[in-house]
Amino acid sequence: SLVIFNPNRNYSYQAFFVSPSGDTLTREQITLQPNGQPWKYDKTQTAFEIKYNNTPEDSLTFLSYVNPQSKKKKKPKSYVWIDAETTGAIEDGQQVWMHPIRSNQYNYTEIAPFPKVMLDSLRAGGEWNNALLIMMGWGAFKGKVANHYQAVRQETRTYGSLTLEDCWLIRSVGKHSKLGNSYLDFYFHPEYGFVEMNYRFYDGAKITYVLEEVREKGV
């Protein structure tokens, strides 16, 4: 029944990190590979692997950019740089939801709304809500986030060689109990999922993921 998180698919995204001052600090390609198995930490979710293509220059760039998870700016938390991770998603008759791309410099996305669509509310003006409790392991991000989503309209969007009709533009806001508001505007397609994700965070930083290519095994 998996269409978006089908293990025969591989998704490539272009990722951009923009500082609060407007400087584009990193550009990289990130790939998502569903594996068709339950995620080991939550068997109700289907697993997918995220592969990063960061470079040594990226880590040098962020030596001067304080990790937002730091509780004390004078003693900033070090970034942890990884090449890959496996996490979980939900795709069923009620909703499509995924853990965000949130490692390395992208840890901000933990405090914004997670990519999520409630299918019975997927119409112009349709709304849905949820909440997330962030625990101690996330440092300064610890707290509660109240998320609100609203479907705006359908558009035709082009991503690489794919021209996709009926992509839904969805705007969402996450209200953190201590840090204020962070925003996620995203496009969702019923066959290709979250094809574009545009984040704006409480301190002005921005992260964008844009679908670049979908590869199908055997095609």
Side-chain angles (χ1 to χ4, degrees):
S1 61
L2 294 173
V3 176
I4 296 166
F5 292 96
N6 187 314
N8 291 319
R9 278 190 179 171
N10 178 280
Y11 296 88
S12 294
Y13 291 82
Q14 279 292 320
F16 304 87
F17 184 105
V18 180
S19 72
S21 62
D23 296 320
T24 300
L25 300 185
T26 57
R27 297 179 176 89
E28 71 169 307
Q29 184 186 71
I30 293 175
T31 60
L32 273 59
Q33 176 63 67
N35 68 20
Q37 301 297 318
W39 186 40
K40 66 178 181 179
Y41 294 110
D42 185 340
K43 301 297 184 181
T44 67
Q45 299 178 24
T46 185
F48 66 96
E49 184 180 29
I50 302 171
K51 291 185 178 179
Y52 300 91
N53 288 283
N54 56 74
T55 67
E57 288 75 18
D58 292 339
S59 58
L60 290 173
T61 297
F62 281 84
L63 285 176
S64 59
Y65 192 93
V66 175
N67 188 327
Q69 289 181 244
S70 305
K71 291 183 178 180
K72 297 180 180 179
K73 301 303 181 184
K74 292 183 179 180
K75 294 182 179 180
K77 182 176 181 178
S78 298
Y79 283 92
V80 176
W81 296 87
I82 64 172
D83 294 325
E85 64 180 325
T86 299
T87 187
I90 297 173
E91 179 184 356
D92 58 30
Q94 295 181 314
Q95 66 176 310
V96 181
W97 171 95
M98 62 177 271
H99 280 108
I101 302 168
R102 58 183 176 178
S103 290
N104 302 336
Q105 71 268 44
Y106 307 113
N107 54 8
Y108 272 108
T109 62
E110 176 69 11
I111 62 169
F114 286 16
K116 178 176 182 174
V117 168
M118 297 302 296
L119 298 176
D120 63 355
S121 298
L122 195 55
R123 59 185 180 275
E127 299 178 298
W128 53 96
N129 301 287
N130 67 4
L132 176 68
L133 183 63
I134 302 175
M135 306 303 285
M136 293 178 60
W138 287 91
F141 290 172
K142 180 183 177 182
K144 186 176 182 179
V145 185
N147 298 309
H148 175 74
Y149 302 77
Q150 183 171 43
V152 179
R153 60 180 177 269
Q154 289 180 290
E155 301 179 14
T156 297
R157 307 285 293 179
T158 299
Y159 300 100
S161 62
L162 284 175
T163 297
L164 302 178
E165 297 180 352
D166 300 328
C167 291
W168 278 101
L169 170 61
I170 297 165
R171 301 191 188 280
S172 60
V173 56
K175 299 181 178 181
H176 191 279
S177 53
K178 292 180 287 187
L179 298 175
N181 293 352
S182 295
Y183 302 86
L184 169 61
D185 294 345
F186 62 95
Y187 285 93
F188 173 82
H189 188 271
E191 293 183 28
Y192 294 94
F194 304 103
V195 293
E196 183 175 340
M197 295 166 276
N198 300 290
Y199 291 88
R200 293 174 290 125
F201 300 101
Y202 62 93
D203 63 354
K206 298 178 181 179
I207 292 172
T208 297
Y209 306 108
V210 181
L211 184 66
E212 184 179 47
E213 183 183 15
V214 179
R215 292 186 291 277
E216 307 265 0
K217 291 181 182 178
V219 176

